[in-house]
Amino acid sequence: MNSFTQVLTTLGWIVVALAISPMVWLIFQPYVKTWSRAERRAAGLLRDVLTPEQCQQLLWRGYLEVKSPSEPERIYRVPRTRGYVQVLEHGRAVMRLCVQPVENLPDADIVVLHKLMIEANEENYLSKANKYFIVD
Amino acid sequence: MLRVMSRRGDDRVTWDDSKVIAGDPEAMAAVREAERIFAQERAKGATAFKIEPGKPAQRIEQFDRTAEQIVLVPRVVGG
């Protein structure tokens, strides 16, 4: 009877561990991803493309601000992780953009992609993006 | 250097331009390989950017052997 209880207890713990493992994975996934080889390589490219100030902004604020080459009052806010790019004009958010590569890329590469496209291919970038206008 | 963005991070092909000018076979083979990848990725819809330190990124249509860094970005679509 005693050993039967022990087996039941062990099985119970296994069930609990299996139940919480997805949550644990969700919590630690960003850290695991940072350690991956692909992310490390992408982070290297990001460091090569950004200035130290831009790296700092991305790290501390969670986004990178890219000035529009065509509209002096327009700024694009590129998030560090996947998500919408926010467009600000005269300091106010006017729209959100959704643009993504056809190929799955590490997060750091996606930041570089947005920066390069905005700075050197803005017209094409805007034409491809799905736009969600923000109305006050 | 040619850097091609991919799920693996970025794939790189490097060469020394001074060795290419000197006719070094290994450096010339690296340039040929970079040119081939450049053309292949462009055909798939990738966009190429030339990156030089202290200068804004520049979109390029043709392979530039003398560029310090060329980054190939895959085709993008609206999400």
Side-chain angles (χ1 to χ4, degrees):
Chain A
M1 189 66 187
N2 202 9
S3 61
F4 181 70
T5 312
Q6 274 183 342
V7 170
L8 274 183
T9 309
T10 310
L11 282 174
W13 280 113
I14 290 170
V15 169
V16 170
L18 286 173
I20 64 167
S21 58
M23 281 183 284
V24 173
W25 171 245
L26 281 177
I27 292 166
F28 290 103
Q29 187 195 23
Y31 303 102
V32 174
K33 277 175 80 180
T34 333
W35 298 332
S36 77
R37 190 163 179 258
E39 284 290 342
R40 279 202 307 271
R41 289 176 75 109
L45 175 62
L46 186 68
R47 276 194 301 274
D48 287 353
V49 171
L50 302 189
T51 63
E53 293 75 27
Q54 288 172 325
C55 281
Q56 212 169 17
Q57 182 184 55
L58 193 64
L59 186 69
W60 291 105
R61 296 199 182 166
Y63 59 77
L64 172 72
E65 286 191 341
V66 183
K67 285 182 181 168
S68 162
S70 64
E71 296 287 335
E73 294 300 328
R74 184 188 295 158
I75 288 170
Y76 296 86
R77 260 187 199 166
V78 179
R80 187 171 56 188
T81 52
R82 282 146 217 267
Y84 293 106
V85 172
Q86 204 173 31
V87 183
L88 293 98
E89 284 180 358
H90 303 277
R92 289 179 58 199
V94 291
M95 66 176 151
R96 289 183 304 168
L97 305 175
C98 192
V99 189
Q100 59 190 35
V102 289
E103 195 178 331
N104 191 25
L105 298 178
D107 288 351
D109 269 353
I110 292 179
V111 174
V112 175
L113 176 149
H114 284 294
K115 179 179 157 51
L116 295 178
M117 293 290 286
I118 292 165
E119 287 183 344
N121 203 16
E122 188 187 22
E123 200 179 323
N124 182 258
Y125 177 79
L126 284 172
S127 73
K128 295 274 173 68
N130 275 340
K131 302 173 191 71
Y132 302 94
F133 291 94
I134 298 168
V135 184
D136 288 334
Chain B
M1 186 199 301
L2 177 74
R3 298 173 104 159
V4 186
M5 283 185 185
S6 74
R7 66 180 69 235
R8 294 176 297 278
D10 60 290
D11 299 317
R12 299 169 197 186
V13 182
T14 54
W15 64 91
D16 184 337
D17 200 40
S18 59
K19 283 185 179 174
V20 175
I21 293 165
D24 179 74
E26 212 171 291
M28 287 168 77
V31 169
R32 275 198 300 273
E33 175 65 358
E35 259 178 305
R36 185 191 66 76
I37 295 169
F38 184 93
Q40 178 189 297
E41 295 300 318
R42 290 276 296 129
K44 283 199 271 180
T47 312
F49 298 93
K50 179 173 156 178
I51 294 168
E52 306 279 356
K55 290 182 188 171
Q58 186 192 339
R59 187 161 64 95
I60 55 170
E61 301 292 333
Q62 302 293 322
F63 179 77
D64 182 357
R65 189 195 74 197
T66 62
E68 186 164 314
Q69 217 174 133
I70 297 170
V71 177
L72 279 166
V73 168
R75 188 166 63 86
V76 295
V77 291

